[in-house]
Amino acid sequence: MQKIHIIDDTIDAVANLVVENGFIQQIDILDEQPNPDDPVLLPAFTDLHAHFRDPGLTYKEDVVSGSKAAVRGGYTAVNLMPNTLPVVSSLEQAHEVEDRIADLNLIRANQVVSMTREERGEDCSYLYKIPAGSIPFVSDDGKGVNRDDVMEEIFKICKEKDLLIMAHEEDARYSPADLRMAENTMTFRDLKLCEKTAGRIHFCHVSTIEAITAIAEAKKKGLRVSCEVCPHHIYFNAEQANYYRVAPPFRNDEDIDALIRGMQDGTVDAISTDHAPHTPEDKMNGANGISGIETAFSLSYTKLVKGGFLTLQQLVKLMSTTPSAMMRVNKGRFQVGMEADFVLVDLVHPYVIKAEDFASRGKNTPFAGQEVFGRVLKTYKAGELVYQAD
């Protein structure tokens, strides 16, 4: 039994916490005030959207470096996108990646399967072979599905199979000239298809005021939609980021304000990292992406909680409770019977982000040199210490 200050989306208290065999066995809330200078224990984070580049692109990242980066950022569950080499387009490929990560015993991972063969946006027929309810998500992340008829068929199959579409909203017709139009146009189309088919869709890395407003209206109408935002899109505008290349790009202050309002009013369901490691050479050659899993909590806490926009409990809900439920993992709250996945954070003392300290192979970030709060001190998976800060 250990006395500690615990915070989740429903609890903020000093408690005695009992963990046995990897699960929370007992929580005794104590009638005392926490010391504000002491570290705080949170449910470990769950990332609905990350790229570990394995298989095939392991010079950027692999399951070992990606897993180490995850626990350094306080994450014990990650949802991996399929745009690897080859593209993950079968359950067999997905399970192979998941098994290799499980053998490391640092995190749990779900490997997403592509929703069109090789992410070419043409053939989704193999989805009919996936057993209903066997996996949580499908996605062609990195690309939008430009053919309307194919996307409508995907909605219908996924409704039948209980699969959640994770959509990268980018209409390739507009991308060369107008990336805002590219995101908005495909978002509007997929909302129409969602309504037409009575299907479900999750919008990845929403970044514009127009998109988040349309998603909010769809939720009010009762459509089965969810969405995520990324820490980098709320921390810096395009000018502050020196137009650093990410997809979708850094936006303007009006967009940032709209995303924050979406988190405040419940339109936004999760904060995801879109962790996308690259080599320096790839970034110099124009690759989009940020290595974000190790800075996500600190950037979010500094901007949103220290900035007065959200409470820490609201942030925990966005980074742990809701994404854990969406990924179907038994974590995300201090609740008897849940897995003992925790992260101990220092909320008091600032630190400076240093890319050279990243466990990820990708050191690509525009946030090097930023002073932030919310340093991860320790990460526990199933009650076992899997990361400790130096």
Side-chain angles (χ1 to χ4, degrees), residues 202-379:
H202 176 81
F203 293 95
C204 295
H205 44 52
V206 179
S207 71
T208 71
I209 184 173
E210 296 88 0
I212 198 66
T213 301
I215 292 166
E217 289 302 314
K219 285 193 166 191
K220 290 176 184 176
K221 290 169 64 176
L223 271 63
R224 301 172 69 195
V225 301
S226 58
C227 71
E228 67 188 40
V229 299
C230 299
H232 53 274
H233 283 134
I234 59 172
Y235 196 88
F236 270 170
N237 62 32
E239 185 176 358
Q240 290 169 320
N242 196 27
Y243 301 93
Y244 194 86
R245 290 183 64 95
V246 290
F250 286 91
R251 302 295 188 181
N252 60 40
D253 289 339
E254 184 183 30
D255 299 303
I256 294 172
D257 291 344
L259 297 181
I260 292 174
R261 286 196 300 272
M263 286 184 272
Q264 292 170 327
D265 66 22
T267 301
V268 175
D269 299 275
I271 293 175
S272 302
T273 71
D274 196 8
H275 174 70
H278 289 292
T279 65
E281 294 76 17
D282 286 340
K283 287 301 289 183
M284 288 180 62
N285 290 327
N288 288 310
I290 183 171
S291 186
I293 205 165
E294 296 173 71
T295 58
F297 176 73
S298 296
L299 293 175
S300 299
Y301 178 78
T302 302
K303 175 74 176 191
L304 297 171
V305 181
K306 295 286 286 186
F309 299 107
L310 297 179
T311 66
L312 180 54
Q313 288 185 286
Q314 289 173 309
L315 183 60
V316 169
K317 185 175 182 179
L318 289 163
M319 296 190 70
S320 188
T321 314
T322 300
S324 296
M326 291 178 68
M327 195 172 143
R328 305 177 187 172
V329 291
N330 182 30
K331 61 186 285 291
R333 272 199 179 116
F334 290 105
Q335 184 173 311
V336 172
M338 281 198 165
E339 294 184 37
D341 284 20
F342 311 133
V343 56
L344 187 70
V345 294
D346 177 355
L347 303 177
V348 176
H349 303 98
Y351 76 98
V352 175
I353 294 173
K354 298 179 181 179
E356 62 268 25
D357 292 341
F358 287 0
S360 171
R361 290 185 178 177
K363 314 300 179 186
N364 46 304
T365 177
F367 300 114
Q370 282 290 302
E371 185 176 83
V372 292
F373 292 82
R375 184 173 183 237
V376 172
L377 301 177
K378 296 180 180 181
T379 303

Side-chain angles (χ1 to χ4, degrees), residues 149-165:
D149 60 330
V150 173
M151 193 63 184
E152 183 171 348
E153 185 178 3
I154 291 169
F155 266 103
K156 291 176 179 177
I157 297 171
C158 289
K159 181 183 178 183
E160 176 188 330
K161 299 286 187 177
D162 190 26
L163 307 172
L164 179 57
I165 296 166

Side-chain angles (χ1 to χ4, degrees), residues 32 40 61 110 112 121 132 139 207 254 336 339 367 369 372 384 387:
E32 62 180 82
V40 175
E61 190 84 290
N110 176 69
V112 178
S139 180
S207 71
E254 184 183 30
V336 172
E339 294 184 37
F367 300 114
V372 292
E384 298 295 327
Y387 169 76

